[in-house]
Amino acid sequence: MAAFIGKYKLVSSDKFEDYMKATGVNLVVRKMANQATPVQDITLNGDEFNIKTSTTFKTTEIKFKLGEEFEEHTADGRTVKTIITQDGNKLIQSQKGDGDKVKDSVLTREFNGDDMKMVLTVDDIVCTRCYKKIE
């Protein structure tokens, strides 16, 4: 689990606008978010993870234990039931919406050395965001 710990800065992004649109994010927020360069700070205290995502206009934070469901308030304003599991060098974040207005999505963080590849999936949209470890 130590391989996950650190600060990661976004270096590239593909289809993030499409992902946000599919999850129902409004145009103004999509434009701002698409221009942001977030930093994800991943820490572990005992068996509780903390992922703090910071941009110039918003900071979000989730605290969780692997395999335990929790209510997540996403940066784009959705409320979902989330479970995060580990599969080797991956943290898999499964978000369940209410089925009507809030769609299900999966965010997979894959760690390889100083690189974190984040794949966000909703419907048939697959977005890839690559991060580089800065600390």
Side-chain angles (χ1 to χ4, degrees), residues 10-113:
L10 182 73
V11 293
S12 68
S13 184
D14 182 52
K15 297 189 179 175
F16 189 49
E17 171 102 15
D18 296 340
Y19 172 82
M20 289 186 293
K21 188 173 183 180
T23 58
V25 177
N26 75 52
L27 179 63
V28 174
V29 173
R30 285 197 319 261
K31 294 301 178 192
M32 288 191 321
N34 219 19
Q35 296 302 312
T37 306
V39 171
Q40 290 193 22
D41 187 5
I42 303 172
T43 58
L44 181 62
N45 184 10
D47 62 351
E48 184 176 77
F49 280 92
N50 185 57
I51 300 178
K52 183 177 180 181
T53 304
S54 305
T55 67
T56 53
F57 66 91
K58 189 155 196 165
T59 297
T60 61
E61 194 167 3
I62 57 173
K63 293 182 181 188
F64 61 92
K65 292 180 181 179
L66 292 175
E68 292 186 13
E69 184 177 80
F70 63 97
E71 186 171 272
E72 179 183 0
H73 302 283
T74 65
D76 55 36
R78 296 175 295 134
T79 299
V80 294
K81 296 289 186 188
T82 298
I83 295 177
I84 300 178
T85 56
Q86 179 183 352
D87 181 10
N89 65 336
K90 297 178 184 177
L91 289 177
I92 302 165
Q93 182 174 349
S94 299
Q95 299 175 326
K96 299 290 181 194
D98 65 9
D100 290 334
K101 296 178 193 169
V102 180
K103 295 181 179 184
D104 295 349
S105 57
V106 177
L107 293 72
T108 302
R109 292 173 177 86
E110 182 176 0
F111 299 86
N112 288 304

